[in-house]
Amino acid sequence: MTVHLALEASKLWRKICVEASIEVSLLAGSWKYILAGVVFQYIHGVAAQGIHYLHRPGPTLQDTGYFLLQELGEDKAYVSETVFSLIFFSFVLWTFHPFVYQSKRIYTVLIWCRVLAYLVACQFLRIITFYSTHLPGPNYHCREGSKLAKMPPPERLVEVLLMNFSKGVNYGCGDLIFSSHMIFSLVFTRTYHRYGMARFIKISAWLLCVIQSILILASRKHYTVDIVVAWYTVNLVTFFIDRKLAELRERPSGIMSPSLLPLSSKEEFQRLVNGNYVGITH
């Protein structure tokens, strides 16, 4: 039994090493795309914090979703975050599954290049919209009387640039149209729907997006318009980006080690190592 486990562990480690060498070669040609996408996540966070300085609490706007859905209450606001976390971390784990599973269709680096392109485009539009019109936040901590509804003007620029990530995610106000949670959820779900293989997971992911939309409204974290705009904006943006960028090529199956590869797979591996299979424009 011990020998069997040792052999399986050795095979797994060998697989991870081979996979890592392929992904590193891809990263060498795509790091600029990855870095730009990661940097923009920071810019988006700073922009969301910046709108909080401009937020002015007021009466909650009339909203169809609020008429139809009973409030969960402030003590149950974690429910929607739980669903979002399930979508988020499940997708992240899936993008790294090629390091472990033999049957795989994607390259981790290339899929994240595509995902970050989706996110950046959607978040850029989001920044424009929530800075264009300032709406009173419907969330509990954004309402009149809450100490967190307004932020005192920053005394130094560094206060804006050094954002408090935890506070911004949980207690931000003003970054409403359209929902950032729905951007991530829809981008991840669409990506898996296109490149994933399990039909049950695809259906479940879309169902979770619908459930999350309802829970966000029931938690009063966004207005209905924030959810509706997210649904059609994200789908339209990803549709046009997919038309602009070249399709991700599916990987040859069964790659284990360059020395053990058939000729066609060896050539594929060499193209990767030599940097001829670059980023999202292959």
Side-chain angles (χ1 to χ4, degrees), residues 83-164:
V83 174
F84 174 74
S85 298
L86 175 61
I87 297 173
F88 186 94
F89 290 109
S90 296
F91 179 81
V92 172
L93 288 175
W94 171 74
T95 62
F96 285 92
H97 83 275
F99 285 84
V100 178
Y101 287 95
Q102 181 67 21
S103 177
K104 54 242 180 182
R105 295 174 56 188
I106 65 168
Y107 294 102
T108 301
V109 168
L110 298 185
I111 206 73
W112 275 107
C113 283
R114 185 65 61 102
V115 166
L116 287 170
Y118 296 150
L119 293 176
V120 168
C122 292
Q123 290 167 337
F124 178 76
L125 294 175
R126 181 174 189 258
I127 292 172
I128 293 175
T129 56
F130 66 62
Y131 269 103
S132 297
T133 301
H134 306 166
L135 301 179
N139 211 335
Y140 305 103
H141 62 269
C142 298
R143 298 174 184 176
E144 289 183 295
S146 172
K147 296 180 180 180
L148 298 172
K150 294 192 294 184
M151 291 179 64
E155 298 180 359
R156 297 173 299 171
L157 179 61
V158 69
E159 294 180 27
V160 180
L161 298 179
L162 295 178
M163 64 176 186
N164 187 323

Coordinates of all heavy atoms in Angstrom, one line a residue, residues 83-164:
V83 N -22.4 32.4 -1.6 CA -22.6 31.9 -3.0 C -21.5 32.4 -3.9 O -21.0 31.7 -4.8 CB -24.0 32.3 -3.5 CG1 -24.2 31.9 -5.0 CG2 -25.1 31.6 -2.6
F84 N -21.2 33.7 -3.8 CA -20.2 34.3 -4.6 C -18.8 33.6 -4.4 O -18.1 33.3 -5.3 CB -20.0 35.8 -4.3 CG -18.9 36.5 -5.0 CD1 -18.9 36.7 -6.4 CD2 -17.7 36.8 -4.4 CE1 -17.9 37.3 -7.1 CE2 -16.6 37.4 -5.0 CZ -16.7 37.6 -6.4
S85 N -18.5 33.4 -3.1 CA -17.2 32.7 -2.8 C -17.2 31.3 -3.4 O -16.1 30.9 -3.9 CB -17.0 32.6 -1.3 OG -17.0 33.9 -0.7
L86 N -18.3 30.6 -3.4 CA -18.4 29.3 -4.0 C -18.1 29.3 -5.5 O -17.3 28.5 -6.1 CB -19.7 28.7 -3.8 CG -20.0 27.3 -4.5 CD1 -19.1 26.2 -4.0 CD2 -21.5 26.9 -4.3
I87 N -18.7 30.3 -6.2 CA -18.4 30.5 -7.7 C -17.0 30.9 -7.9 O -16.3 30.3 -8.8 CB -19.3 31.5 -8.2 CG1 -20.8 31.1 -8.1 CG2 -19.0 31.8 -9.7 CD1 -21.8 32.2 -8.5
F88 N -16.5 31.8 -7.1 CA -15.1 32.4 -7.3 C -14.0 31.3 -7.1 O -13.2 31.0 -8.0 CB -14.9 33.5 -6.4 CG -13.6 34.3 -6.6 CD1 -13.5 35.4 -7.4 CD2 -12.4 33.8 -6.0 CE1 -12.3 36.1 -7.6 CE2 -11.2 34.5 -6.2 CZ -11.2 35.6 -7.0
F89 N -14.0 30.7 -6.0 CA -13.0 29.7 -5.7 C -13.1 28.4 -6.5 O -12.1 27.8 -6.8 CB -12.9 29.4 -4.2 CG -12.5 30.6 -3.4 CD1 -13.4 31.3 -2.6 CD2 -11.2 31.0 -3.4 CE1 -12.9 32.4 -1.8 CE2 -10.7 32.1 -2.7 CZ -11.6 32.8 -1.9
S90 N -14.3 28.0 -6.8 CA -14.5 26.8 -7.7 C -13.9 27.1 -9.1 O -13.2 26.2 -9.6 CB -16.0 26.5 -7.9 OG -16.5 26.1 -6.6
F91 N -14.1 28.3 -9.6 CA -13.5 28.6 -10.9 C -12.0 28.7 -10.9 O -11.3 28.1 -11.7 CB -14.0 29.9 -11.4 CG -13.5 30.3 -12.8 CD1 -14.0 29.8 -13.9 CD2 -12.4 31.2 -12.9 CE1 -13.5 30.1 -15.2 CE2 -11.9 31.6 -14.1 CZ -12.4 31.0 -15.2
V92 N -11.4 29.3 -9.8 CA -10.0 29.4 -9.7 C -9.4 28.0 -9.6 O -8.4 27.7 -10.3 CB -9.6 30.2 -8.4 CG1 -8.1 30.1 -8.2 CG2 -10.0 31.7 -8.6
L93 N -10.0 27.1 -8.8 CA -9.4 25.8 -8.7 C -9.5 25.0 -10.1 O -8.6 24.3 -10.4 CB -10.2 25.0 -7.7 CG -10.0 25.4 -6.2 CD1 -10.9 24.6 -5.3 CD2 -8.5 25.1 -5.8
W94 N -10.6 25.3 -10.8 CA -10.8 24.6 -12.1 C -9.7 25.1 -13.1 O -9.1 24.2 -13.8 CB -12.1 24.9 -12.7 CG -12.2 24.5 -14.1 CD1 -12.4 23.2 -14.6 CD2 -12.2 25.3 -15.3 NE1 -12.4 23.2 -16.0 CE2 -12.3 24.4 -16.4 CE3 -12.1 26.7 -15.5 CZ2 -12.3 24.9 -17.7 CZ3 -12.1 27.2 -16.8 CH2 -12.2 26.3 -17.9
T95 N -9.3 26.3 -13.1 CA -8.3 26.8 -14.0 C -6.9 26.2 -13.7 O -6.1 26.2 -14.6 CB -8.1 28.4 -13.9 OG1 -7.7 28.8 -12.6 CG2 -9.4 29.0 -14.3
F96 N -6.7 25.7 -12.5 CA -5.4 25.0 -12.2 C -5.5 23.5 -12.2 O -4.6 22.8 -11.9 CB -5.0 25.5 -10.8 CG -4.4 26.9 -10.8 CD1 -5.2 28.0 -10.5 CD2 -3.1 27.1 -11.1 CE1 -4.7 29.2 -10.5 CE2 -2.5 28.4 -11.1 CZ -3.4 29.5 -10.8
H97 N -6.7 23.0 -12.7 CA -6.8 21.5 -12.7 C -5.9 20.8 -13.7 O -5.5 19.6 -13.5 CB -8.3 21.1 -13.0 CG -8.6 21.1 -14.4 ND1 -9.0 22.2 -15.1 CD2 -8.6 20.1 -15.3 CE1 -9.3 21.9 -16.4 NE2 -9.1 20.6 -16.5
P98 N -5.4 21.5 -14.7 CA -4.4 20.8 -15.6 C -3.1 20.4 -14.9 O -2.4 19.5 -15.4 CB -4.1 21.9 -16.7 CG -5.3 22.7 -16.8 CD -5.8 22.8 -15.3
F99 N -2.8 21.0 -13.8 CA -1.6 20.5 -13.0 C -1.8 19.2 -12.4 O -0.8 18.5 -12.0 CB -1.3 21.6 -12.0 CG -0.7 22.8 -12.5 CD1 -1.5 23.8 -13.0 CD2 0.7 23.0 -12.5 CE1 -0.9 25.0 -13.5 CE2 1.3 24.1 -13.0 CZ 0.4 25.2 -13.5
V100 N -3.0 18.7 -12.3 CA -3.3 17.5 -11.6 C -3.9 16.4 -12.4 O -3.5 15.2 -12.4 CB -4.2 17.7 -10.3 CG1 -4.5 16.4 -9.6 CG2 -3.6 18.7 -9.4
Y101 N -4.9 16.8 -13.3 CA -5.7 15.8 -14.0 C -5.1 15.6 -15.4 O -4.6 16.5 -16.0 CB -7.1 16.3 -14.2 CG -8.0 16.2 -12.9 CD1 -8.1 17.3 -12.1 CD2 -8.6 15.0 -12.5 CE1 -8.8 17.2 -10.9 CE2 -9.3 14.9 -11.3 CZ -9.4 16.1 -10.6 OH -10.1 16.0 -9.4
Q102 N -5.2 14.3 -15.8 CA -4.6 13.9 -17.1 C -5.5 14.5 -18.2 O -5.0 14.9 -19.3 CB -4.5 12.4 -17.2 CG -3.9 11.9 -18.5 CD -2.5 12.3 -18.7 OE1 -1.8 12.6 -17.7 NE2 -2.0 12.3 -19.9
S103 N -6.8 14.4 -18.0 CA -7.7 14.9 -19.1 C -8.0 16.4 -18.9 O -8.6 16.8 -17.9 CB -9.1 14.1 -18.9 OG -10.0 14.6 -19.9
K104 N -7.5 17.2 -19.9 CA -7.6 18.6 -19.7 C -7.6 19.2 -21.1 O -7.1 18.7 -22.1 CB -6.5 19.2 -18.9 CG -5.1 18.8 -19.4 CD -4.3 18.0 -18.4 CE -2.9 17.7 -18.9 NZ -2.2 16.9 -18.0
R105 N -8.3 20.4 -21.2 CA -8.4 21.1 -22.5 C -7.8 22.4 -22.5 O -7.6 23.0 -23.6 CB -9.9 21.2 -22.9 CG -10.7 19.9 -23.1 CD -12.2 20.2 -23.3 NE -12.4 21.1 -24.3 CZ -13.6 21.7 -24.6 NH1 -14.7 21.4 -23.8 NH2 -13.8 22.5 -25.6
I106 N -7.5 23.0 -21.4 CA -7.0 24.3 -21.3 C -5.6 24.5 -20.8 O -5.1 23.5 -20.2 CB -7.9 25.2 -20.4 CG1 -7.8 24.7 -19.0 CG2 -9.4 25.1 -20.9 CD1 -8.4 25.6 -17.9
Y107 N -5.0 25.6 -21.1 CA -3.7 26.0 -20.5 C -4.1 27.1 -19.5 O -4.8 28.1 -19.8 CB -2.8 26.6 -21.5 CG -2.3 25.6 -22.5 CD1 -2.8 25.6 -23.8 CD2 -1.3 24.7 -22.2 CE1 -2.3 24.6 -24.8 CE2 -0.8 23.8 -23.1 CZ -1.3 23.7 -24.4 OH -0.9 22.8 -25.3
T108 N -3.6 27.0 -18.3 CA -4.0 27.9 -17.2 C -3.6 29.3 -17.5 O -4.4 30.2 -17.3 CB -3.3 27.5 -15.9 OG1 -3.7 26.1 -15.6 CG2 -3.6 28.4 -14.8
V109 N -2.4 29.6 -18.0 CA -2.0 30.9 -18.3 C -2.9 31.6 -19.4 O -3.3 32.7 -19.3 CB -0.5 31.0 -18.8 CG1 -0.2 32.3 -19.4 CG2 0.4 30.6 -17.6
L110 N -3.2 30.8 -20.5 CA -4.0 31.3 -21.6 C -5.4 31.6 -21.1 O -6.0 32.6 -21.6 CB -3.9 30.4 -22.7 CG -2.6 30.1 -23.4 CD1 -2.7 29.3 -24.6 CD2 -1.9 31.4 -23.7
I111 N -6.0 30.7 -20.3 CA -7.4 31.0 -19.9 C -7.5 32.2 -19.0 O -8.4 33.0 -19.1 CB -7.9 29.7 -19.1 CG1 -9.5 29.7 -19.3 CG2 -7.5 29.7 -17.7 CD1 -10.0 29.3 -20.6
W112 N -6.4 32.5 -18.2 CA -6.4 33.7 -17.4 C -6.2 34.9 -18.2 O -6.7 36.0 -17.8 CB -5.4 33.6 -16.2 CG -6.0 32.8 -15.0 CD1 -5.8 31.6 -14.6 CD2 -7.1 33.3 -14.2 NE1 -6.5 31.2 -13.5 CE2 -7.3 32.3 -13.2 CE3 -7.7 34.5 -14.1 CZ2 -8.3 32.5 -12.2 CZ3 -8.7 34.7 -13.1 CH2 -9.0 33.7 -12.2
C113 N -5.4 34.8 -19.3 CA -5.3 36.0 -20.2 C -6.7 36.4 -20.7 O -7.0 37.6 -20.8 CB -4.4 35.6 -21.3 SG -2.6 35.6 -20.9
R114 N -7.4 35.4 -21.1 CA -8.8 35.6 -21.7 C -9.7 36.2 -20.6 O -10.4 37.2 -20.8 CB -9.3 34.4 -22.3 CG -10.7 34.5 -23.0 CD -10.5 35.4 -24.2 NE -9.6 34.9 -25.2 CZ -10.0 34.2 -26.3 NH1 -11.2 34.0 -26.6 NH2 -9.1 33.8 -27.2
V115 N -9.7 35.6 -19.4 CA -10.5 36.0 -18.3 C -10.2 37.4 -17.9 O -11.1 38.3 -17.7 CB -10.4 35.1 -17.1 CG1 -11.0 35.7 -15.8 CG2 -11.1 33.7 -17.4
L116 N -9.0 37.8 -17.8 CA -8.6 39.1 -17.4 C -9.0 40.2 -18.4 O -9.3 41.3 -18.1 CB -7.1 39.2 -17.1 CG -6.6 38.5 -15.8 CD1 -5.1 38.4 -15.7 CD2 -7.2 39.3 -14.6
A117 N -8.9 39.8 -19.7 CA -9.4 40.7 -20.8 C -10.9 41.0 -20.6 O -11.3 42.1 -20.7 CB -9.2 40.0 -22.1
Y118 N -11.7 39.9 -20.3 CA -13.1 40.1 -20.0 C -13.3 41.1 -18.8 O -14.1 42.0 -18.9 CB -13.8 38.8 -19.6 CG -13.8 37.8 -20.7 CD1 -13.8 36.4 -20.4 CD2 -13.9 38.1 -22.1 CE1 -13.9 35.4 -21.4 CE2 -14.0 37.1 -23.1 CZ -13.9 35.8 -22.7 OH -14.0 34.8 -23.7
L119 N -12.6 40.8 -17.7 CA -12.8 41.6 -16.5 C -12.4 43.0 -16.7 O -13.1 43.9 -16.2 CB -11.9 41.0 -15.4 CG -12.4 39.6 -14.9 CD1 -11.4 39.1 -13.8 CD2 -13.8 39.6 -14.3
V120 N -11.3 43.3 -17.3 CA -10.8 44.7 -17.5 C -11.8 45.5 -18.4 O -12.1 46.6 -18.0 CB -9.4 44.7 -18.2 CG1 -9.1 46.1 -18.7 CG2 -8.4 44.2 -17.2
A121 N -12.3 44.9 -19.4 CA -13.3 45.6 -20.3 C -14.5 45.9 -19.5 O -15.1 47.0 -19.5 CB -13.6 44.8 -21.5
C122 N -15.0 44.9 -18.7 CA -16.3 45.2 -18.0 C -16.1 46.2 -16.8 O -16.9 47.0 -16.6 CB -16.8 43.8 -17.4 SG -17.4 42.7 -18.6
Q123 N -14.9 46.1 -16.2 CA -14.7 46.9 -15.0 C -14.4 48.4 -15.5 O -14.8 49.3 -14.8 CB -13.5 46.4 -14.2 CG -13.8 45.2 -13.5 CD -12.5 44.5 -12.9 OE1 -11.4 44.7 -13.4 NE2 -12.7 43.7 -11.9
F124 N -13.8 48.5 -16.7 CA -13.6 49.9 -17.2 C -15.0 50.5 -17.5 O -15.2 51.7 -17.1 CB -12.8 49.8 -18.6 CG -12.6 51.1 -19.2 CD1 -11.7 52.0 -18.8 CD2 -13.4 51.4 -20.4 CE1 -11.5 53.2 -19.4 CE2 -13.2 52.7 -21.0 CZ -12.3 53.6 -20.5
L125 N -15.9 49.8 -18.1 CA -17.3 50.3 -18.3 C -17.9 50.6 -16.9 O -18.7 51.6 -16.8 CB -18.1 49.3 -19.1 CG -17.6 49.1 -20.5 CD1 -18.5 48.0 -21.2 CD2 -17.7 50.4 -21.3
R126 N -17.7 49.8 -16.0 CA -18.3 49.9 -14.6 C -17.8 51.2 -14.0 O -18.6 52.0 -13.4 CB -18.0 48.7 -13.8 CG -18.6 48.8 -12.4 CD -18.4 47.6 -11.6 NE -19.1 47.6 -10.3 CZ -18.6 47.9 -9.1 NH1 -17.3 48.1 -9.0 NH2 -19.4 47.9 -8.1
I127 N -16.6 51.5 -14.1 CA -16.0 52.7 -13.5 C -16.7 54.0 -14.1 O -17.0 54.9 -13.4 CB -14.5 52.8 -13.6 CG1 -13.8 51.7 -12.8 CG2 -13.9 54.2 -13.3 CD1 -12.3 51.5 -13.1
I128 N -16.8 53.9 -15.4 CA -17.5 55.1 -16.1 C -18.9 55.3 -15.6 O -19.3 56.4 -15.3 CB -17.4 54.8 -17.6 CG1 -16.0 54.9 -18.1 CG2 -18.3 55.9 -18.3 CD1 -15.9 54.5 -19.6
T129 N -19.6 54.2 -15.4 CA -21.0 54.3 -15.1 C -21.2 54.8 -13.7 O -22.1 55.7 -13.4 CB -21.8 53.0 -15.3 OG1 -21.1 51.9 -14.5 CG2 -21.8 52.6 -16.8
F130 N -20.5 54.2 -12.7 CA -20.8 54.7 -11.3 C -20.2 56.0 -11.0 O -20.6 56.7 -10.0 CB -20.4 53.6 -10.3 CG -19.0 53.3 -10.1 CD1 -18.0 54.2 -9.6 CD2 -18.6 51.9 -10.3 CE1 -16.7 53.8 -9.4 CE2 -17.2 51.6 -10.1 CZ -16.3 52.5 -9.6
Y131 N -19.3 56.5 -11.8 CA -18.8 57.9 -11.6 C -19.7 58.9 -12.4 O -19.7 60.1 -12.1 CB -17.4 58.1 -12.1 CG -16.4 57.8 -11.0 CD1 -15.6 56.6 -10.9 CD2 -16.1 58.8 -10.0 CE1 -14.7 56.4 -9.9 CE2 -15.2 58.6 -9.0 CZ -14.5 57.4 -8.9 OH -13.6 57.2 -7.9
S132 N -20.4 58.4 -13.3 CA -21.3 59.3 -14.1 C -22.5 59.8 -13.3 O -22.8 61.0 -13.3 CB -21.8 58.6 -15.4 OG -20.8 58.2 -16.2
T133 N -23.1 58.9 -12.5 CA -24.3 59.3 -11.7 C -24.1 58.6 -10.3 O -23.9 57.4 -10.2 CB -25.6 58.8 -12.3 OG1 -25.8 59.4 -13.6 CG2 -26.8 59.2 -11.4
H134 N -24.2 59.5 -9.3 CA -24.0 59.0 -7.9 C -25.3 58.6 -7.3 O -26.2 59.5 -7.1 CB -23.3 60.0 -7.1 CG -22.0 60.5 -7.7 ND1 -21.3 61.6 -7.3 CD2 -21.2 60.0 -8.7 CE1 -20.2 61.8 -8.0 NE2 -20.2 60.8 -8.9
L135 N -25.5 57.4 -7.0 CA -26.8 56.9 -6.4 C -26.6 56.7 -4.9 O -25.6 56.2 -4.5 CB -27.3 55.7 -7.1 CG -27.5 55.7 -8.6 CD1 -28.0 54.4 -9.1 CD2 -28.6 56.8 -8.9
P136 N -27.6 56.9 -4.1 CA -27.6 56.6 -2.7 C -27.5 55.1 -2.5 O -28.4 54.4 -3.1 CB -28.8 57.2 -2.1 CG -29.8 57.3 -3.3 CD -28.9 57.6 -4.5
G137 N -26.6 54.6 -1.8 CA -26.4 53.1 -1.6 C -27.6 52.5 -0.8 O -28.0 53.1 0.2
P138 N -28.1 51.4 -1.3 CA -29.2 50.7 -0.6 C -28.7 49.8 0.6 O -29.5 49.4 1.4 CB -29.9 49.9 -1.7 CG -28.7 49.5 -2.6 CD -27.8 50.7 -2.5
N139 N -27.4 49.5 0.6 CA -26.9 48.6 1.6 C -27.1 49.2 3.0 O -27.1 50.5 3.2 CB -25.4 48.3 1.4 CG -25.1 46.9 1.9 OD1 -25.7 46.3 2.7 ND2 -24.0 46.3 1.2
Y140 N -27.1 48.4 4.0 CA -27.4 48.8 5.4 C -26.4 49.9 5.9 O -26.8 50.9 6.5 CB -27.5 47.6 6.3 CG -28.4 46.6 5.9 CD1 -28.0 45.4 5.3 CD2 -29.8 46.8 6.1 CE1 -28.9 44.4 4.8 CE2 -30.7 45.8 5.7 CZ -30.2 44.6 5.0 OH -31.1 43.7 4.6
H141 N -25.1 49.6 5.6 CA -24.1 50.6 6.1 C -24.0 51.8 5.2 O -23.2 52.7 5.6 CB -22.8 49.9 6.2 CG -22.3 49.4 4.8 ND1 -22.6 48.1 4.3 CD2 -21.5 50.0 3.9 CE1 -22.0 48.0 3.1 NE2 -21.4 49.1 2.8
C142 N -24.8 51.9 4.1 CA -24.7 53.1 3.3 C -25.9 54.0 3.5 O -26.0 55.0 2.8 CB -24.7 52.6 1.8 SG -23.2 51.6 1.4
R143 N -26.8 53.7 4.3 CA -28.0 54.5 4.5 C -27.8 55.6 5.5 O -26.8 55.6 6.2 CB -29.1 53.5 5.0 CG -29.5 52.4 4.1 CD -30.5 51.5 4.7 NE -30.8 50.4 3.8 CZ -31.6 49.3 4.1 NH1 -32.2 49.3 5.2 NH2 -31.8 48.3 3.2
E144 N -28.7 56.5 5.5 CA -28.6 57.7 6.4 C -28.5 57.3 7.8 O -29.3 56.4 8.2 CB -29.8 58.6 6.1 CG -29.8 59.4 4.8 CD -30.9 60.3 4.7 OE1 -32.1 59.8 4.6 OE2 -30.7 61.5 4.6
G145 N -27.7 57.9 8.6 CA -27.5 57.6 10.0 C -26.3 56.6 10.3 O -25.9 56.5 11.4
S146 N -25.8 56.0 9.2 CA -24.7 55.0 9.4 C -23.4 55.8 9.3 O -23.2 56.7 8.5 CB -24.7 54.0 8.3 OG -23.5 53.2 8.4
K147 N -22.5 55.5 10.3 CA -21.2 56.2 10.3 C -20.3 55.8 9.1 O -19.4 56.5 8.8 CB -20.5 55.8 11.6 CG -21.2 56.3 12.8 CD -20.4 55.9 14.1 CE -21.0 56.5 15.3 NZ -20.3 56.1 16.6
L148 N -20.7 54.7 8.4 CA -19.9 54.2 7.3 C -20.4 54.7 6.0 O -19.7 54.4 4.9 CB -19.9 52.6 7.3 CG -19.3 52.0 8.5 CD1 -19.5 50.5 8.4 CD2 -17.8 52.3 8.6
A149 N -21.5 55.4 6.0 CA -22.1 55.9 4.7 C -21.2 56.9 4.0 O -21.2 57.0 2.8 CB -23.5 56.4 5.0
K150 N -20.5 57.7 4.8 CA -19.7 58.7 4.2 C -18.2 58.6 4.7 O -18.0 58.2 5.8 CB -20.2 60.1 4.5 CG -21.5 60.5 3.9 CD -21.9 62.0 4.0 CE -22.0 62.4 5.5 NZ -22.4 63.8 5.6
M151 N -17.3 58.9 3.8 CA -15.9 58.9 4.2 C -15.4 60.4 4.2 O -15.7 61.1 3.3 CB -15.1 58.1 3.2 CG -15.3 56.6 3.3 SD -14.3 55.6 2.1 CE -12.7 55.9 2.7
P152 N -14.7 60.8 5.2 CA -14.1 62.1 5.3 C -13.1 62.3 4.1 O -12.5 61.4 3.7 CB -13.4 62.2 6.6 CG -13.1 60.8 7.0 CD -14.2 60.0 6.4
P153 N -13.1 63.5 3.5 CA -12.2 63.8 2.4 C -10.7 63.4 2.8 O -10.3 63.7 3.9 CB -12.3 65.3 2.2 CG -13.7 65.6 2.7 CD -13.8 64.7 3.9
P154 N -10.0 62.8 1.9 CA -8.7 62.4 2.2 C -7.7 63.6 2.3 O -7.9 64.5 1.6 CB -8.3 61.5 0.9 CG -9.1 62.0 -0.2 CD -10.4 62.4 0.5
E155 N -6.9 63.5 3.3 CA -5.9 64.6 3.5 C -4.7 64.5 2.5 O -4.1 65.5 2.2 CB -5.4 64.6 4.9 CG -6.6 64.8 5.9 CD -6.1 64.8 7.4 OE1 -4.9 64.6 7.6 OE2 -6.9 65.1 8.3
R156 N -4.4 63.2 2.2 CA -3.3 63.0 1.3 C -3.7 62.0 0.2 O -4.6 61.2 0.4 CB -2.1 62.5 2.1 CG -1.5 63.4 3.1 CD -0.5 62.7 3.9 NE -1.0 61.5 4.6 CZ -0.3 60.6 5.3 NH1 1.1 60.7 5.3 NH2 -0.8 59.6 5.9
L157 N -3.0 62.1 -1.0 CA -3.3 61.2 -2.1 C -3.0 59.8 -1.7 O -3.7 58.9 -2.2 CB -2.5 61.6 -3.3 CG -2.6 60.8 -4.6 CD1 -4.1 60.8 -5.1 CD2 -1.6 61.2 -5.6
V158 N -2.1 59.6 -0.9 CA -1.7 58.2 -0.5 C -2.9 57.5 0.2 O -3.0 56.2 0.1 CB -0.4 58.2 0.4 CG1 -0.8 58.8 1.8 CG2 0.1 56.8 0.5
E159 N -3.8 58.2 0.8 CA -4.9 57.6 1.5 C -5.8 57.0 0.5 O -6.5 56.0 0.7 CB -5.7 58.6 2.3 CG -4.9 59.2 3.5 CD -5.7 60.2 4.3 OE1 -7.0 60.1 4.2 OE2 -5.1 61.1 4.9
V160 N -5.9 57.6 -0.7 CA -6.7 57.0 -1.8 C -6.0 55.8 -2.5 O -6.7 54.8 -2.8 CB -7.0 58.1 -2.8 CG1 -7.9 57.5 -4.0 CG2 -7.7 59.3 -2.2
L161 N -4.7 56.0 -2.7 CA -4.0 54.9 -3.4 C -3.8 53.7 -2.6 O -3.8 52.6 -3.1 CB -2.7 55.5 -3.9 CG -2.7 56.7 -4.8 CD1 -1.3 57.1 -5.2 CD2 -3.5 56.3 -6.1
L162 N -3.6 53.8 -1.2 CA -3.4 52.7 -0.4 C -4.8 52.2 0.1 O -5.2 52.5 1.3 CB -2.5 53.0 0.8 CG -1.1 53.4 0.4 CD1 -0.3 53.7 1.7 CD2 -0.4 52.2 -0.3
M163 N -5.5 51.5 -0.7 CA -6.9 51.2 -0.4 C -6.9 50.1 0.7 O -6.0 49.2 0.8 CB -7.6 50.7 -1.6 CG -7.1 49.4 -2.2 SD -8.1 48.9 -3.6 CE -7.3 47.3 -4.0
N164 N -8.0 50.1 1.5 CA -8.3 49.1 2.5 C -9.1 48.0 1.8 O -10.3 48.2 1.6 CB -9.0 49.7 3.7 CG -9.1 48.7 4.8 OD1 -9.4 47.5 4.6 ND2 -9.0 49.2 6.0

